[in-house]
Amino acid sequence: MHVLLLKEPREGGSGPDPYIKELASRGHKATLIPVLSFTFVSLNTLSDKLFQPEQHGGLIFTSPRAVEAVRMCLEDDERREQWNNDIKDKWNAKSIYVVGKATAALVENLGLVPLGEDTGTADVLSRLILEREDTNILPLFFPCGSIKREVLPTALRENGVPLDTLMVYQTAQHPDLEKNLKNHFTEQGVPASIAFFSPSGVKFCLETVRRLSGEQLKQIKFAAIGPTTADAMTAEGLSVSCSADKPTAEHLATGIAKALQ
């Protein structure tokens, strides 16, 4: 059956997208339509902070995009050398917190050792941080996007753990989103299942999906990558057929395959 994945292609990945691969192994054909576009900002400030690890108690990454911003700061040969010879070891002496396997893999590519890749949500990650950190530490440095949820900053603030946030990318709707959705529905018909990967994805796509599906909307099995996205879908009146137990290709594909049985 046909599955529509409303997500960006994975960062720096060659070969097939893991979600397409996992669904194919379960007998379903999947198509990817990118929902978001990203603009990087404040990279000079980010670079300054990255190269002064002594001013922070650790690092927090909750999205692949924030790690991508760090990688952009290391494109200069001199900076990259300095990072590899000295700076990354100073960060590795502290805690580097991440949500999810995709972000963890990109953090490892920078030579850093991530903690918390199995947490899956910012909520669970904040609990891990609170278990491990004291209130008297230097602030944890949190490069993030313009549409970050306040769960993690609020939890740390309420428990007195200092945090230094810096917005390093802005999120907007992908310029070709409507056109791509329209073409897909025209060529492939209404998908058997549609998977959302973020609350912003729900916000930007839902109206168009409703319009293009018409009466068949009720037959579509809607899937969510995790609880936050599922909540956003429910809030819009969608019935969620499955929510991945963990935000991985394997867990989501398993959920979708089950819903489509």
Side-chain angles (χ1 to χ4, degrees):
M1 290 199 205
H2 203 101
V3 180
L4 178 58
L5 304 170
L6 297 172
K7 71 182 281 289
E8 293 37 74
R10 66 175 172 162
E11 283 299 312
S14 55
D17 184 273
Y19 289 88
I20 292 180
K21 213 166 111 188
E22 288 289 343
L23 282 159
S25 75
R26 290 160 176 79
H28 300 293
K29 183 180 184 299
T31 306
L32 256 178
I33 292 183
V35 172
L36 308 172
S37 66
F38 301 96
T39 316
F40 291 99
V41 294
S42 313
L43 292 184
N44 289 341
T45 310
L46 174 60
S47 196
D48 291 346
K49 287 178 185 278
L50 284 173
F51 281 81
Q52 296 174 40
E54 63 284 351
Q55 296 193 359
H56 289 98
L59 272 168
I60 301 174
F61 293 108
T62 58
S63 74
R65 222 69 44 187
V67 190
E68 177 67 11
V70 171
R71 196 190 59 72
M72 289 169 81
C73 294
L74 305 177
E75 278 175 355
D76 173 72
D77 289 346
E78 212 171 292
R79 286 249 136 170
R80 169 62 88 173
E81 197 177 335
Q82 202 186 341
W83 175 264
N84 286 334
N85 291 345
D86 174 40
I87 301 294
K88 73 170 189 202
D89 294 335
K90 288 182 175 166
W91 280 116
N92 278 330
K94 307 167 191 276
S95 296
I96 295 150
Y97 295 104
V98 301
V99 166
K101 288 198 178 350
T103 304
L106 294 170
V107 165
E108 284 170 353
N109 290 346
L110 297 174
L112 299 174
V113 182
L115 274 168
E117 66 175 80
D118 290 327
T119 52
T121 66
D123 188 19
V124 181
L125 181 67
S126 62
R127 293 204 286 271
L128 174 72
I129 295 172
L130 294 173
E131 277 167 23
R132 293 176 49 96
E133 303 292 349
D134 283 326
T135 52
N136 58 2
I137 59 159
L138 287 165
L140 297 170
F141 180 40
F142 179 29
C144 56
S146 53
I147 311 183
K148 73 173 190 315
R149 290 175 69 234
E150 291 303 319
V151 171
L152 188 132
T154 304
L156 298 190
R157 197 168 52 239
E158 284 174 353
N159 288 277
V161 173
L163 189 67
D164 175 16
T165 58
L166 176 69
M167 186 175 80
V168 294
Y169 66 93
Q170 287 172 324
T171 308
Q173 179 172 323
H174 193 285
D176 298 328
L177 177 63
E178 280 216 33
K179 185 184 79 184
N180 291 342
L181 279 170
K182 205 172 161 194
N183 290 347
H184 181 78
F185 274 75
T186 306
E187 289 159 21
Q188 305 279 348
V190 177
S193 174
I194 297 180
F196 287 100
F197 288 76
S198 67
S200 344
V202 178
K203 185 175 105 183
F204 294 143
C205 298
L206 192 53
E207 198 186 319
T208 309
V209 165
R210 278 203 167 112
R211 196 176 66 244
L212 295 169
S213 307
E215 287 297 298
Q216 289 172 272
L217 185 79
K218 291 181 180 65
Q219 287 150 35
I220 302 171
K221 304 290 185 196
F222 286 99
I225 189 63
T228 314
T229 303
D231 289 347
M233 291 159 73
T234 310
E236 289 292 345
L238 274 189
S239 101
V240 180
S241 296
C242 73
S243 180
D245 294 336
K246 282 186 177 175
T248 70
E250 197 183 339
H251 285 91
L252 185 70
T254 302
I256 291 174
K258 214 167 164 184
L260 289 174
Q261 270 171 4

